[in-house]
Amino acid sequence: MSSMLSSALRNLPVSSAWAAGGLARSLSCSSQFQAAVQPKTKKTLGKTGVKNVVVVEGVRIPFLQSGTSYADLMPHDLARAALQGLLTRTSVPRDVVDYIVYGTVIQEVKTSNVAREAALGAGFSDKTPAHTVTMACISSNQAMTTGVGMIAAGQCDVVVAGGVELMSDVPIRHSRKMRKTMLTLNRAKTLGQKLSLISKIRPDYFTPELPAVAEFSTSETMGHSADRLAAAFGISRLEQDEYALRSHTLAKKAQDEGLLQDVVPFKVPGKDTVTKDNGIRPSSMEQMGKLKPAFVKPYGTVTAANSSFLTDGASAILIMSEEKALAMGYKPKAYLRDFVYVSQDPKDQLLLGPTYATPKVLERAGLSLSDIDVFEFHEAFAGQILANLKAMDSDWFAQNYMGRKSKVGAPPLDKFNTWGGSLSLGHPFGATGCRLVITAAHRLKKEGGQYGLVAACAAGGQGHAMIVELYPQ
């Protein structure tokens, strides 16, 4: 399927290095992508008159492939476990928490405000307000920044934010015809009225409405969009498979070395205790190459191996004003600094959120790309990540699509998602943002950096980026 973006890229002048495919191999995961060594500013990004907001701790229960150990649970069970893990790790008194915000995408109708149900289940006071937000794959990002705003405005000192998704059990509805009939039947007063309505039911009324990971405005699945995006930017199947293998390999290394410190064990009722993510599976290029296209058949390049998998999981993060954290005796991990949200065309540019958000958040913070020590970008698809890197490194794209004079540049791979990413660790839609932020904080401490940049794309053509600054050690 052609698109405006694809057409524009095909018509680039031959002299353009990007159009000629000059970047295709430079962004390959088998290449060494080196950053120019430039001095760090080492300045703090605190602003006069604005409260400093800090991350005290962040946790997540293991992210699992859907249909495995969490299959018989409900979303609030997972969120409750994450909240309890946070309480155990921090020993924060429940009554100190002023507010709880959770993100989720596919809501369970019985617990539409999953933040409230999970909080009550975790033992928080029924006097502690809680609400749920949704913004596709950046739902827990929205939960965190909602908390940041509450603290910065002086409304709260202590906020717990998080996210949850249970893809093992998603709502399946009756058809609209059946729903209307059932609702009308419920209002019928006489036996005759009820029988009359029942007689109108036809076999097709029983056809269920299955949920789809698709855009409402375009009716296109995200995987289909990723395939078109990869084609538009000239991302080959080989490059996508290489990047996916990189993600799994780095995640396995981080898991084996105990670097995934945010993971807390979860005793699943009636089953064993889950202690680690189960989607990390380094394969081989040969094995990955045998898989058939998952969306655009038979010539697409997006497969099950180079896509993030349907995932169950939950996360929770404790954020406070700096003054409150220090008064309570905590040593914060990081400051949450500038952040932005962006929105683009939900068809041609559905997954390009990081490209648009990154230069904006850098400008807000007064930083350049070379100032960033660690990058944590959400990996929805390998093709999506590589397309963003190409777009960020293209003057032509910056000038023709972003209204900028020049490119922002591509993050160097030696600083990019070096503990794995969503392709390997998993992607519970509503929970991923918190993982990105706490991983950035942990990497900054481990690797000796000062600034981290978190970015993610989301359905609807939206995106988010945030600057994380290491707390002074």
Side-chain angles (χ1 to χ4, degrees), residues 117-372:
E117 304 305 331
L120 293 174
F124 284 91
S125 168
D126 58 8
K127 302 297 190 293
T128 303
H131 80 271
T132 301
V133 297
T134 187
M135 203 172 181
C137 301
I138 53 177
S139 293
S140 64
N141 306 63
Q142 184 59 252
M144 284 185 287
T145 56
T146 296
V148 169
M150 289 177 164
I151 293 172
Q155 295 295 314
C156 302
D157 282 316
V158 182
V159 174
V160 171
V164 63
E165 214 68 50
L166 183 68
M167 296 304 296
S168 289
D169 182 27
V170 296
I172 297 176
R173 305 197 303 177
H174 280 293
S175 68
R176 184 157 195 150
K177 291 179 180 178
M178 178 59 88
R179 298 201 307 272
K180 290 177 68 175
T181 300
M182 292 172 70
L183 290 171
T184 306
L185 185 64
N186 191 50
R187 295 192 297 268
K189 296 181 179 179
T190 68
L191 178 61
Q193 290 174 332
K194 293 180 180 180
L195 292 175
S196 175
L197 286 167
I198 292 173
S199 69
K200 296 178 181 179
I201 295 176
R202 297 294 178 265
D204 65 315
Y205 282 31
F206 294 95
T207 303
E209 290 183 359
L210 301 176
V213 184
E215 292 294 302
F216 179 80
S217 58
T218 65
S219 298
E220 186 173 80
T221 66
M222 193 173 290
H224 198 129
S225 298
D227 230 325
R228 286 196 302 102
L229 188 66
F233 281 86
I235 311 295
S236 70
R237 165 75 179 269
L238 176 64
E239 289 177 289
Q240 294 175 60
D241 286 352
E242 284 180 334
Y243 185 87
L245 181 58
R246 172 189 188 267
S247 182
H248 281 272
T249 302
L250 292 174
K252 185 67 168 72
K253 183 174 184 290
Q255 188 179 68
D256 291 345
E257 294 179 359
L259 299 179
L260 306 181
Q261 306 164 49
D262 56 333
V263 178
V264 293
F266 175 28
K267 175 62 175 73
V268 180
K271 298 182 181 180
D272 294 335
T273 298
V274 180
T275 60
K276 61 183 182 179
D277 309 316
N278 71 359
I280 303 173
R281 297 180 179 179
S283 182
S284 69
M285 291 297 294
E286 182 181 5
Q287 290 175 313
M288 295 170 71
K290 294 178 181 178
L291 296 182
K292 295 181 179 180
F295 300 99
V296 179
K297 303 174 182 180
Y299 303 114
T301 56
V302 175
T303 71
N306 57 42
S307 307
S308 58
F309 48 87
L310 296 179
T311 314
D312 301 333
S315 57
I317 196 165
L318 178 61
I319 59 179
M320 298 184 180
S321 64
E322 183 180 21
E323 297 86 351
K324 184 69 172 181
L326 297 179
M328 293 185 67
Y330 289 111
K331 177 64 180 292
K333 291 181 179 290
Y335 293 106
L336 295 182
R337 296 303 194 188
D338 292 275
F339 62 87
V340 298
Y341 288 92
V342 295
S343 235
Q344 300 82 236
D345 173 13
K347 186 177 176 107
D348 283 345
Q349 302 185 59
L350 175 70
L351 304 173
L352 290 176
T355 297
Y356 285 86
T358 294
K360 289 187 176 183
V361 80
L362 288 173
E363 288 167 1
R364 285 182 64 90
L367 299 175
S368 65
L369 198 72
S370 62
D371 291 318
I372 304 301

